């Protein structure tokens, strides 16, 4: 911090009030945020793969190869349906929001929805 | 020959002229005749009868078929079905015989045939009427009456008036009977009831004539005669000319085989599971109305709930297609579809993008990221929250590279676990902040996990644009909010009353407030338009809570700022920030920590910070660029204590919120934690910074034993104070003692 006002600074200077707004490079800002977040997730420590599939099982975004993706998507879809059915059977007003499966080697995290499935496989010990 | 069902909403029946049925209303008593062309039953206690007029004579012949169907249903005013059941079923055989006798000559049809027959029938079947023997009498009179009127009626069938006559005459009779019945009801219990038993005619149910006759009977002789004659005949038959044997042959047609083939009837097993939630969903959606349902949905599979963010209506048929396909799959759950591998590719393009843009997806990503980070940072966060950290049994323990501060401690082997030290947990940093100098940090008043960090240069030269990042403890790798400012940020403060309001003071003298809850990148208000705004760097902004409103209107918080141009301004938050000029800081010091540029005789350089002790209200610390930290008391003009450790400017000092005798200080190269109770000459904990990085700011965490240190590279590192034993309580007395003893020794 300066101890005295520097001679170069003129007290009468008016500072413009326009604060530049960060604009996203593609489409709406929220879409860019979504892409950014997805990319960040993929680069986190220990993340083995990230998969986004739609309701039909078609992969929308994936970092794994196609066969693995399809396998994960199919199996987890069924498991998610079963889990959701379990939750709702107990209380129909409740609904499943997140599913985590911890195994010896890694952890599979699923965020289910009617339209899509977001799957991340992470190895926490890495 | 129409069968009618007259529904009664009120006791009166509607007349349907087309069917030529005259149904007369009943009163209250729930007895109405079933009227139909075929019905024969009569409830004997009906007051007024309804009867049907058959249109054809053929009815008579067909009337042998007793089919008590197509009945009239009666409903009372509440809509309850009060249709009376017939008391007995008429015996078809008996009626038929009698019936044919009576109406052998009656060809004109359209008579009260039904009614009469039943009336007659009631007499004959009186024994079957059960307890209503009284009605037998009534019916007998009726039958008499009916027979008498019958002849007169034969010619006047089509005449409606005659019908009425009949009905009236009958009704007279009926009324009598009805009256009688009513009486019974009221005084039933007291009256003596006479019962007359009459033997009815014998009904032959089965008659098998005997084959043999007893020897004693009269016919025996004749039977024997006949038998003998017959035997004679049989004997004479052989060789008798009267009897000739002839054989015949019938032609059998040639059989012909004919084959018929039909299509194979495929059987498919379909099963569905009705789960509790499925029924709940169906019930809810049915209650919401048909509009909520997709029109193409196959109802058998259960209505599909239209989700709030249903992507594209044109996709609906595709979904229903797949929905229908599930029903053909055995034991399919009736809810969501199975995966449909074949999708029209042209529809794929918009769809994934819609998913990516949906808010729910964003939310899920947000949560997912936090979950992943929680996995990564779990031990560190647990240490922060002072929870015991558990070893993950699946993780093979690796050697963790030690940090600079740790290396120092690990050299002292046995005592390393006991000496007070700083353990580095993690640091808030990302690529956005690298290279920026951390100038100030502030915790959110309502959410202790939220941290606002301001980035800006201290020196005037190389002024970059300022940056404000709001970090959450749950995500140390990416800030929750990022705001860029024109000039470097020098100070930050969160408001206490409105926890999402953040006041920012900048290097160019402007002040802005941001709302961190929204995703807006621009400040809520800005001081640029104010005529009296500061012209030199703002050293400090603070929200001060006024217990008593000075001018009556500020009963909440006001924003106070101190700037290098020597002014302390109070700001009003209206459309723009407006200040009311210099304000004397009398009440201010009671509440807040305000940084005032004092020039005091004992410090050679400018003070960087003044901070009041949270426990002793008249004690404050100051740090300046003359390498010293000084402890002052309000009433004294010379510092009570001075602390020097190294020859570098001390940028920041802060009291610990937990212990009165502990404070932390940050100079260029190291972090120092002083514990006055332990020593007033040396810091208790010293932690060196990474080379090349200058440490610039310090913040204590409010609820845990952690400190945050910001440096010139944009990193905010979180350290945990380990093994710092200060003693019980807040040590206020200890501080007072120290000050007192120091003063005493100075005298």
């Amino acid at each position: 911090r300066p101890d005295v006002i520097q001679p170069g600074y003129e007290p009468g200077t008016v500072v413009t009030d326009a604060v530049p707004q960060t604009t996203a490079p593609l489409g709406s800002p929220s879409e860019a945020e979504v892409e950014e977040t997805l990319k960040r997730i993929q680069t986190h420590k220990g993340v083995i793969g990230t998969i986004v599939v739609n309701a039909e099982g078609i992969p929308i975004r994936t970092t794994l190869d196609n066969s693995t993706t399809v396998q994960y998507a199919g199996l987890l879809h069924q498991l998610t349906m079963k889990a959701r059915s379990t939750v709702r059977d107990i209380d129909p007003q409740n609904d499943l929001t997140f599913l985590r499966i911890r195994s010896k080697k890694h952890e599979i995290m699923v965020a289910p929805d009617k339209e899509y499935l977001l799957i991340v496989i992470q190895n926490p010990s890495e | 020959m129409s069968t009618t069902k007259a529904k009664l909403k009120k006791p009166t029946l509607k007349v349907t002229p087309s069917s030529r049925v005259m149904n007369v209303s009943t009163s209250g008593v729930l007895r109405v005749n079933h009227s139909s062309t075929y019905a024969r039953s009569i409830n004997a206690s009906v007051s007024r009868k309804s009867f049907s007029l058959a249109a054809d004579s053929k009815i008579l012949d067909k009337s042998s078929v007793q089919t008590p169907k197509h009945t009239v249903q009666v409903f009372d005013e509440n809509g309850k079905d009060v249709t009376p059941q017939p008391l007995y079923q008429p015996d078809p055989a008996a009626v038929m015989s009698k019936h044919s006798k009576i109406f052998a000559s009656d060809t004109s049809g359209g008579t009260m045939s039904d009614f009469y027959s039943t009336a007659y029938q009631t007499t004959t079947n009186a024994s079957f009427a059960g307890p209503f023997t009284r009605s037998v009498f009534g019916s007998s009179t009726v039958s008499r009456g009916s027979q008498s009127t019958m002849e007169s009626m034969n010619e006047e069938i089509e005449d409606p008036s005659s019908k009425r006559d009949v009905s009236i005459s009958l009704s007279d009779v009926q009324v009598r009977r009805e009256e009688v019945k009513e009486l019974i009801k009221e005084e039933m219990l007291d009256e003596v009831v006479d019962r007359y038993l009459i033997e009815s005619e014998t009904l032959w149910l089965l008659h098998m004539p005997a084959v043999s006759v007893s020897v004693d009977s009269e016919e025996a002789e004749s039977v024997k005669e006949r038998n003998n004659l017959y035997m004679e005949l049989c004997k004479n038959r052989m060789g008798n000319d009267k009897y000739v044997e002839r054989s015949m042959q019938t032609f059998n047609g040639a059989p012909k085989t004919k084959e018929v083939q039909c299509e194979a009837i495929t059987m498919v097993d379909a099963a569905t599971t009705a789960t509790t939630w499925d029924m709940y969903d169906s019930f809810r959606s049915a209650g919401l109305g048909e509009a909520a349902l997709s029109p193409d949905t196959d109802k058998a599979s259960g209505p599909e709930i239209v989700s709030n963010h249903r992507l594209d209506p044109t996709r609906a048929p595709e979904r229903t297609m797949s929905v229908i396909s599930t029903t053909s799959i055995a034991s399919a759950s009736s809810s969501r579809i199975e995966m449909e591998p074949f999708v029209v590719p042209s529809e794929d393009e918009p769809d994934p993008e819609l998913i990516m843009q949906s808010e729910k997806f964003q939310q899920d990503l947000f949560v997912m990221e936090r979950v992943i980070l929680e996995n990564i940072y779990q031990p560190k966060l647990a240490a922060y929250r002072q929870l015991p950290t558990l070893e993950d049994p699946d993780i093979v323990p690796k050697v963790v590279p030690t940090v600079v501060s740790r290396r120092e401690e690990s050299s002292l082997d046995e005592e390393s676990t006991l000496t007070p030290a700083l353990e580095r947990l993690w640091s808030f940093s990302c690529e956005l902040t690298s290279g920026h100098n951390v100038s100030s940090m502030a915790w959110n008043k309502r959410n202790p996990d939220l941290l606002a960090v301001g980035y800006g240069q201290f020196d005037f030269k190389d002024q970059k644009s300022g940056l404000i990042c709001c970090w959450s403890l749950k995500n140390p790798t990416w800030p929750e909010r990022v705001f860029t400012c024109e000039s470097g940020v020098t100070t930050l403060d969160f408001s206490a009353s409105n926890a999402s309001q953040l006041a920012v003071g900048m290097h160019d003298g402007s002040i802005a407030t941001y709302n961190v809850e929204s995703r807006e990148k621009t400040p809520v208000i800005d001081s640029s338009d104010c005529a009296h705004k500061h012209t030199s760097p703002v050293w400090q902004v603070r929200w001060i809570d006024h217990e008593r409103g000075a001018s009556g209107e500020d009963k909440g918080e006001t924003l106070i700022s101190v700037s290098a141009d020597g002014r302390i301004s109070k700001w009003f938050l209206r459309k723009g920030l407006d200040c009311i000029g210099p304000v004397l800081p009398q009440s201010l010091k009671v509440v807040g920590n305000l940084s005032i540029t004092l020039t005091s005789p004992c410090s050679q350089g400018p003070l960087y910070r003044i901070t009041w002790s949270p426990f002793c209200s008249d004690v404050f610390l100051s740090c300046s660029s003359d390498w010293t930290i000084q402890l002052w008391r309000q009433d004294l003009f010379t510092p009570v204590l001075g602390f020097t450790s190294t020859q570098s400017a001390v940028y920041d000092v802060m009291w610990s919120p937990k212990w009165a005798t502990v404070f932390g200080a940050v100079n260029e190269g190291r972090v120092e934690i002083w514990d006055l109770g332990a020593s007033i000459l040396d810091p208790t904990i010293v932690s060196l910074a990474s080379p090349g990085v200058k440490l610039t700011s310090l913040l204590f965490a409010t609820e845990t034993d952690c400190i945050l240190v910001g440096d010139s590279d944009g990193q905010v590192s979180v350290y945990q104070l380990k093994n710092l034993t200060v003693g019980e309580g807040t040590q206020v007395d200890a501080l007072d003692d120290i000050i007192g003893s120091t003063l005493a020794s100075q005298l």
Side-chain angles (χ1 to χ4, degrees):
Chain A
R1 297 165 195 182
D3 22 2
V4 289
I5 299 173
Q6 301 294 328
Y9 177 71
E10 272 148 29
T13 314
V14 175
V15 180
T16 57
D17 55 348
V19 176
Q21 190 170 0
T22 53
T23 50
L26 33 100
S28 62
S30 61
E31 192 181 322
E33 275 175 38
V34 164
E35 293 288 341
E36 249 183 63
T37 313
L38 203 50
K39 211 158 41 161
R40 272 209 314 277
I41 286 179
Q42 288 165 5
T43 53
H44 275 313
K45 188 179 93 144
V47 172
I48 298 169
T50 312
I51 301 168
V52 182
V53 286
N54 69 354
E56 275 83 32
I58 311 286
I60 300 172
R61 296 272 192 281
T62 174
T63 57
L64 306 169
D65 55 285
N66 197 39
S67 58
T68 318
T69 304
V70 168
Q71 186 183 27
Y72 266 108
L75 294 168
L76 285 168
H77 181 75
Q78 292 175 32
L79 184 64
T80 315
M81 269 177 32
K82 190 68 183 170
R84 175 178 276 135
S85 175
T86 308
V87 167
R88 296 202 72 203
D89 258 347
I90 295 167
D91 177 10
Q93 290 177 335
N94 206 354
D95 198 6
L96 182 70
T97 52
F98 207 85
L99 185 63
R100 284 170 87 161
I101 304 150
R102 188 66 209 271
S103 74
K104 266 198 199 158
K105 293 193 183 164
H106 41 247
E107 177 162 356
I108 305 170
M109 293 162 279
V110 182
D113 186 75
K114 282 198 164 55
E115 318 285 341
Y116 58 84
L117 263 186
L118 170 63
I119 303 164
V120 173
I121 305 124
Q122 185 190 21
N123 184 0
S125 63
E126 226 178 78
Chain B
M1 204 178 326
S2 60
T3 62
T4 58
K5 281 186 193 177
K7 289 197 182 176
L8 288 182
K9 296 289 189 251
K10 309 169 210 170
T12 54
L13 291 163
K14 285 189 232 164
V15 177
T16 55
S18 59
S19 60
R20 291 154 102 230
V21 171
M22 236 169 65
N23 296 326
V24 189
S25 66
T26 63
S27 64
V29 183
L30 25 109
R31 299 283 178 191
V32 169
N33 184 30
H34 303 286
S35 74
S36 75
T37 54
Y38 296 125
R40 297 287 183 267
S41 59
I42 269 190
N43 292 323
S45 55
V46 171
S47 56
R48 280 167 289 184
K49 301 295 263 185
S50 61
F51 44 87
S52 64
L53 306 173
D56 288 332
S57 57
K58 291 175 203 158
I59 295 160
L60 278 173
D61 306 318
K62 289 181 190 168
S63 63
S64 57
V65 177
Q66 303 273 333
T67 51
K69 294 192 195 73
H70 317 293
T71 53
V72 169
Q73 286 187 309
V74 181
F75 299 89
D76 68 8
E77 53 262 40
N78 293 334
K80 264 193 342 181
D81 186 5
V82 292
T83 316
Q85 308 299 319
L87 290 173
Y88 60 91
Q89 292 299 326
D91 189 0
V95 173
M96 192 160 58
S97 56
K98 312 296 179 205
H99 177 78
S100 51
K101 280 183 202 161
I102 292 170
F103 300 108
S105 60
D106 191 5
T107 54
S108 54
T111 64
M112 337 298 169
S113 55
D114 309 348
F115 169 71
Y116 296 141
S117 63
T118 42
Y120 191 81
Q121 171 193 308
T122 50
T123 56
T124 56
N125 299 332
S127 61
F128 295 111
F132 295 91
T133 46
R134 255 189 199 276
S135 60
V136 170
F137 274 98
S139 62
S140 61
T141 54
V142 165
S143 67
R144 261 182 260 125
S146 68
Q147 278 175 358
S148 61
T149 54
M150 208 167 41
E151 294 89 17
S152 62
M153 272 307 299
N154 279 346
E155 296 80 31
E156 300 160 7
I157 295 152
E158 306 301 316
D159 192 354
S161 60
S162 62
K163 288 180 212 163
R164 263 181 237 114
D165 289 339
V166 173
S167 64
I168 287 164
S169 63
L170 289 169
S171 59
D172 290 341
V173 174
Q174 299 294 342
V175 164
R176 230 184 303 139
R177 199 172 28 161
E178 184 59 35
E179 282 172 314
V180 172
K181 192 176 175 5
E182 302 254 341
L183 277 172
I184 291 170
K185 281 189 174 164
E186 287 159 17
E187 302 156 338
M188 205 169 1
L189 294 170
D190 299 336
E191 271 190 7
V192 174
V193 178
D194 296 329
R195 299 277 177 213
Y196 297 88
L197 297 176
I198 297 169
E199 188 193 334
S200 69
E201 269 195 21
T202 313
L203 285 175
W204 291 99
L205 295 173
L206 176 67
H207 180 236
M208 282 172 60
V211 180
S212 53
V213 181
S214 157
V215 180
D216 301 327
S217 72
E218 303 92 39
E219 303 171 318
E221 291 300 321
S222 56
V223 169
K224 273 188 199 162
E225 279 286 325
R226 280 213 301 278
N227 288 350
N228 291 333
L229 277 173
Y230 185 65
M231 279 198 319
E232 299 264 338
L233 185 72
C234 290
K235 276 191 227 146
N236 293 339
R237 198 152 58 136
M238 312 291 279
N240 199 332
D241 286 335
K242 280 191 188 171
Y243 299 92
V244 175
E245 275 198 27
R246 278 244 165 98
S247 55
M248 301 282 284
Q249 187 175 25
T250 55
F251 287 109
N252 295 325
K256 176 177 172 183
T257 49
K258 190 159 183 156
E259 286 175 8
V260 175
Q261 188 175 30
C262 72
E263 285 209 1
I265 301 167
T266 49
M267 311 279 251
V268 172
D269 282 333
T272 183
T273 321
T275 52
T276 313
W277 53 268
D278 196 12
M279 292 191 279
Y280 174 81
D281 281 348
S282 318
F283 185 70
R284 261 191 55 216
S285 76
L288 287 172
E290 307 311 304
L293 294 172
S294 160
D296 301 331
T297 311
D298 183 15
K299 291 274 198 282
S301 69
E304 187 181 332
I305 305 298
V306 178
S307 63
N308 283 342
H309 44 275
R310 182 162 265 273
L311 298 180
D312 193 357
T314 62
R315 284 193 58 75
E318 217 171 290
R319 278 178 206 287
T320 54
M321 195 167 66
S322 41
V323 166
I324 290 163
S325 69
T326 23
T327 55
S328 62
I329 299 168
S331 71
S333 156
S334 69
S335 66
R336 207 60 181 103
I337 50 175
E338 298 289 320
M339 280 195 289
E340 186 81 62
F342 302 109
V343 178
V344 178
S346 65
E347 289 210 16
D348 246 353
E349 293 317 310
D351 202 36
E353 298 315 307
L354 283 171
I355 289 179
M356 302 296 282
Q357 284 168 12
S358 77
E359 213 181 287
K360 179 100 191 330
F361 186 66
Q362 204 169 356
Q363 178 73 19
D364 277 344
L365 275 177
F366 179 69
V367 171
M368 180 69 79
E369 191 179 9
R370 285 204 172 175
V371 168
I372 292 170
L373 288 164
E374 186 219 327
N375 271 339
I376 298 170
Y377 286 100
Q378 196 271 337
K380 307 289 197 290
L381 288 172
Y384 180 86
R385 302 232 192 258
Q386 297 172 320
L387 297 169
T389 54
L390 304 167
E391 280 286 315
D392 193 343
D394 297 324
I395 296 177
V396 177
K398 289 193 219 164
V399 179
V400 180
T402 53
V403 191
V404 177
S405 60
R406 271 259 212 89
R407 215 175 286 137
E408 229 181 359
E409 310 305 319
S410 61
S411 59
L412 322 159
D413 285 331
E414 292 85 33
E415 296 131 34
S416 63
T417 52
L418 299 174
T419 47
L422 288 181
E423 183 182 333
R424 184 172 182 277
L425 295 177
W426 73 86
S427 73
F428 293 104
S429 72
C430 67
E431 71 218 9
L432 286 179
T433 62
S434 64
H436 287 77
N437 180 41
V438 175
S439 60
S440 59
M441 302 184 281
W443 289 108
N444 186 299
K445 301 284 191 316
R446 190 167 59 188
N447 180 0
D449 287 347
L450 213 57
L451 175 74
V453 179
Y455 302 84
Q457 302 299 110
F458 289 151
D459 314 323
F460 177 63
K461 50 191 191 300
D462 13 277
Q463 271 292 322
K464 297 182 205 169
S465 65
L467 194 64
I468 306 163
C469 286
C470 289
W471 296 87
S472 163
L473 234 72
K474 298 170 186 150
N475 188 348
T477 59
W478 192 261
E480 304 296 316
R481 300 280 189 271
V482 178
F483 306 107
T484 49
C485 318
E486 274 251 323
S487 70
V489 175
T490 52
T491 173
L492 289 174
D493 192 30
F494 267 109
S495 158
S497 62
N498 183 5
S500 53
Q501 208 167 30
L502 176 68
V504 177
M506 282 173 261
H507 200 275
D508 60 358
S510 55
I511 295 175
T513 62
Y514 287 85
N515 181 9
V516 297
E517 259 187 271
S518 76
R519 293 209 161 257
E520 286 277 318
K521 304 284 192 182
T522 52
V524 174
I525 5 177
D526 200 302
S527 75
S528 341
D529 300 330
C530 173
H532 303 292
K533 66 186 176 113
H534 295 296
T535 49
S536 46
V538 181
W539 290 143
Q540 188 118 37
V541 287
R542 187 121 294 170
W543 294 94
I544 304 294
D545 205 13
H546 282 282
E547 291 92 20
R548 59 217 177 270
S551 53
E553 50 178 276
D554 29 86
K555 48 194 188 302
E557 276 186 332
T558 48
L559 186 60
I560 308 284
S561 68
V562 182
S563 158
D565 59 4
R567 285 192 308 165
I568 299 169
S569 314
K570 181 158 136 180
W571 297 83
F572 281 128
L573 308 168
R574 259 177 270 159
K575 283 246 164 127
L577 285 177
D578 199 21
C579 70
I580 56 167
V583 164
L584 292 174
Q586 291 133 339
S587 59
L588 303 177
K589 68 161 174 69
V590 178
V591 189
N593 296 324
L594 208 53
S595 164
I596 305 171
T597 51
L598 294 173
T599 51
S600 84
C602 291
S603 66
Q604 274 78 36
L607 298 175
Y608 283 138
R609 188 172 286 281
I610 284 182
T611 154
W612 297 91
S613 167
F615 298 100
C616 305
S617 55
D618 52 357
V619 173
F620 63 91
L621 279 173
S622 71
C623 70
S624 79
S625 63
D626 66 352
W627 315 334
T628 62
I629 306 162
Q630 296 181 333
L631 181 81
W632 303 75
R633 215 169 66 175
Q634 197 186 346
D635 48 350
L636 302 171
F637 290 109
T638 56
V640 177
L641 284 169
F643 313 101
T644 322
S645 53
T646 53
Q647 296 170 346
S648 47
V650 183
Y651 284 121
D652 203 351
V653 70
M654 186 174 171
W655 287 100
S656 159
K658 204 165 155 192
W659 300 294
T661 53
V662 176
F663 65 88
V666 150
N667 55 35
E668 279 186 20
R670 38 198 246 171
V671 180
E672 296 170 353
I673 307 291
W674 293 75
D675 181 8
L676 298 179
S679 155
I680 59 170
L681 297 174
D682 286 315
T684 314
I685 308 174
V686 173
S687 168
L688 294 176
S690 327
V693 171
K694 288 198 293 183
L695 303 176
T696 54
S697 56
L698 176 77
L699 187 67
F700 271 88
T702 42
E703 280 157 28
T704 84
D705 293 335
C706 290
I707 59 167
L708 279 76
V709 179
D711 62 23
S712 59
D713 197 30
Q715 282 207 11
V716 176
S717 310
V718 181
Y719 291 89
Q720 192 187 22
L721 301 169
K722 295 193 79 110
N723 307 317
L724 192 65
T725 49
V726 183
E728 295 289 316
T730 55
Q731 304 287 306
V732 177
D733 310 323
L735 184 64
D736 288 337
D737 289 342
I738 292 165
I739 295 173
S741 60
T742 313
L743 290 172
S745 65
Q746 281 173 0
L747 293 169

